[in-house]
Amino acid sequence: MATQVKLRSLKDRIRYTVIFETILLIMLVPAGMAFYDRAFFDIGLLGVILVLKAMIINVIYNWVFDRIEARTGRVASDRPHKLRVVHAIGFEVTLAITSIPIYTWWLHITVLEAILIDVVVTTFIVGYTYVYTLAYDFVFPVK
């Protein structure tokens, strides 16, 4: 008989996402303002749009990933290193596909420029996602 695996609740996933995106905005908006020499409102609003999109994708992505992983009998906080890397990269690829058109439109740049921006931002965020998720699982383990 299979053992029932406890998964993170929707409330827990929302907490994860809100904290994650808030810290990310605090780090990236000032960098975007400096790089593009744009006002706080302009880059801040772009950041909020990207964060809201990411929050929706984050909840759905993690819910699906957890369900797939639960089939192996493992909970998210017991995820091994290699699977954490796969999780982080998969999430960022999903975000890139949906972010590039927004960068292009909002900043009035070419698709190539948007891809380059996304590569830089994504490279930073992949590492941040790994460290943040590891810390989150330590502070809020699945019981």
Side-chain angles (χ1 to χ4, degrees):
M1 182 159 96
T3 305
Q4 184 70 11
V5 175
K6 182 167 173 54
L7 301 176
R8 294 196 179 278
S9 67
L10 177 60
K11 178 181 173 185
D12 189 26
R13 283 292 169 201
I14 291 170
R15 175 179 56 201
Y16 170 96
T17 303
V18 168
I19 296 169
F20 179 95
E21 298 297 344
T22 300
I23 294 169
L24 191 60
L25 266 178
I26 290 168
M27 291 187 291
L28 290 183
V29 168
M33 290 170 54
F35 186 77
Y36 282 102
D37 193 28
R38 300 242 183 138
F40 173 79
F41 180 79
D42 192 29
I43 297 299
L45 189 54
L46 172 61
V48 169
I49 289 167
L50 292 170
V51 160
L52 291 174
K53 175 193 64 79
M55 289 174 78
I56 292 165
I57 290 171
N58 192 325
V59 171
I60 295 166
Y61 181 87
N62 284 306
W63 181 80
V64 170
F65 202 95
D66 287 353
R67 294 288 181 282
I68 293 168
E69 193 172 19
R71 292 181 181 186
T72 68
R74 184 176 39 239
V75 296
S77 58
D78 293 337
R79 188 173 293 152
H81 173 76
K82 287 181 182 178
L83 195 53
R84 286 182 185 277
V85 171
V86 168
H87 175 266
I89 291 170
F91 179 70
E92 292 308 322
V93 167
T94 303
L95 287 181
I97 291 168
T98 58
S99 295
I100 290 169
I102 296 170
Y103 284 131
T104 302
W105 174 72
W106 191 269
L107 298 172
H108 306 288
I109 58 177
T110 67
V111 171
L112 180 58
E113 290 170 318
I115 290 169
L116 292 174
I117 290 168
D118 199 71
V119 166
V120 170
V121 172
T122 299
T123 299
F124 170 77
I125 294 175
V126 166
Y128 169 68
T129 300
Y130 176 79
V131 171
Y132 175 83
T133 304
L134 190 61
Y136 186 89
D137 287 344
F138 178 77
V139 174
F140 302 105
V142 177
K143 302 217 187 247

